[in-house]
Every structure is written in structure tokens, then in C-alpha cells.
Amino acid sequence: PDQRRVAKEYYAKISLQELSFLLSSGYHEHRLTAIFILTFKFEKTKDGAVQETIVEFYLNHLQYLNNWDLVDSGCYKLLGRYCFENKRDDLLRNLSHSDIIWHKRIAVVGTMHYVKKGSFELTKEFVTRNLKYSHDLMHKANGWLLREMGQRNQQELISYLNLYYRDMPRTCLRYAIEKLDEGLRQDYLKGRI
């Protein structure tokens, strides 16, 4: 809460050059505050050129987004929204192909904006591409986005699960089915579908 308060107070006052210094800090709290500030800057402007500059800045500083909260706090509100509104799926798609876990997570969590708008194909593409990725933070992100998709359209989730649930890491599956009816959850968990 304190970091968000600072971000709200200073987002309009701090330049991208100053923000670069904050985002490249060795202190996690500095980097997280910088992401909050950058996200506020993006959300508060209606100027497409300014939004594009902010997205370029974000993409040029990806090496500092090296923890799940640094990724999740801004990627869908900033990069995901920009990609959706400007038909730039390629930016997220390129990240989903990366060997770096944080890039993969930015890609899949970035599709949250798509999911909120009722568009599920990119989410399913990225989850499928990285379904077997070894790190549990990807399993959680994949399951989280599938669950969000199911919150908006349960049939989309069920159709996806019916194709892939046997191949999913258990953590991913548990996250994905969390909001389903208990009987259906148990059917998936016990492989009865």
C-alpha cells in the first residue's frame, strides 16, 4: 500500500529517465514502485504516442522484471492492454517464445486484458505452448489465466481442459479448475473425463 501511495503521488512528476534509474535499482521495492508508476502513467494518458513510448520503455527494461510480482503488477494493464487495443499480438507472442521464464509469464499474464474483453485464443495459444515448461510459476500463471477464462466462459475452459487436462502439471490443473463445481473438479482431478 505504501508503494502504491508513492506511485500515485509521483507518477505525473517523474520522468522516464528518472524512472529508468528506479526500475534498474538493486532493490526489489524500488523496481516494484517503478512498475506501479509506469502503469499509472500508461493508464492516465489518452495519447497514443505517449502510450507507445511507455510500452517501448517497458520492453527496453524487461531485464529488471525478474520476479512474479514485478511481472504481474503491470504486464496486462500496460503491455496487454496496448497489444489488444493496437492489434499487436506479435509483441506478446515473441515473449511467449522466449527462453526466459519472466518473458513467458509476461506473455501469458498479459493476455488477461484479452480475457477480460472476451478474447481467449491468445491465452490458449500461450498456455498450450508453455504447458510443459518446468517452472511452477508458469504452471500457476497458466492455471490462473485458464481459470479467469472460465470465469467469463466456462464452456471455453471445459473444452480446453478436455483436450489438455491429462497433460497439465497438477498445479496448473488445480488453479484452472478452482471455481468449477466440486463434482466436476473431482472428475478432472481423478481423470474421469
Side-chain angles (χ1 to χ4, degrees), residues 154-166:
Q154 189 173 22
Q155 191 51 52
E156 282 282 342
L157 174 60
I158 288 171
S159 295
Y160 186 86
L161 289 172
N162 289 348
L163 288 173
Y164 295 105
Y165 86 96
R166 292 181 187 277

Side-chain angles (χ1 to χ4, degrees), residues 172-190:
C172 178
L173 178 61
R174 286 188 176 278
Y175 270 61
I177 64 175
E178 183 178 326
K179 302 290 185 180
L180 295 179
D181 171 76
E182 183 59 25
L184 188 55
R185 283 183 70 254
Q186 290 303 318
D187 285 345
Y188 282 116
L189 288 171
K190 294 177 178 169

Side-chain angles (χ1 to χ4, degrees), residues 111-161:
T111 67
M112 177 73 79
H113 189 83
Y114 290 68
V115 169
K116 288 178 180 284
K117 297 294 185 179
S119 177
F120 310 124
E121 294 310 309
L122 205 59
T123 300
K124 292 189 289 188
E125 175 187 330
F126 295 169
V127 169
T128 304
R129 175 174 299 123
N130 292 298
L131 201 58
K132 299 287 191 171
Y133 193 78
S134 61
H135 204 290
D136 73 318
L137 287 175
M138 279 305 297
H139 303 171
K140 291 174 182 178
N142 287 339
W144 171 30
L145 268 293
L146 290 173
R147 182 182 69 224
E148 291 298 319
M149 181 178 75
Q151 291 282 92
R152 279 144 189 89
N153 187 324
Q154 189 173 22
Q155 191 51 52
E156 282 282 342
L157 174 60
I158 288 171
S159 295
Y160 186 86
L161 289 172

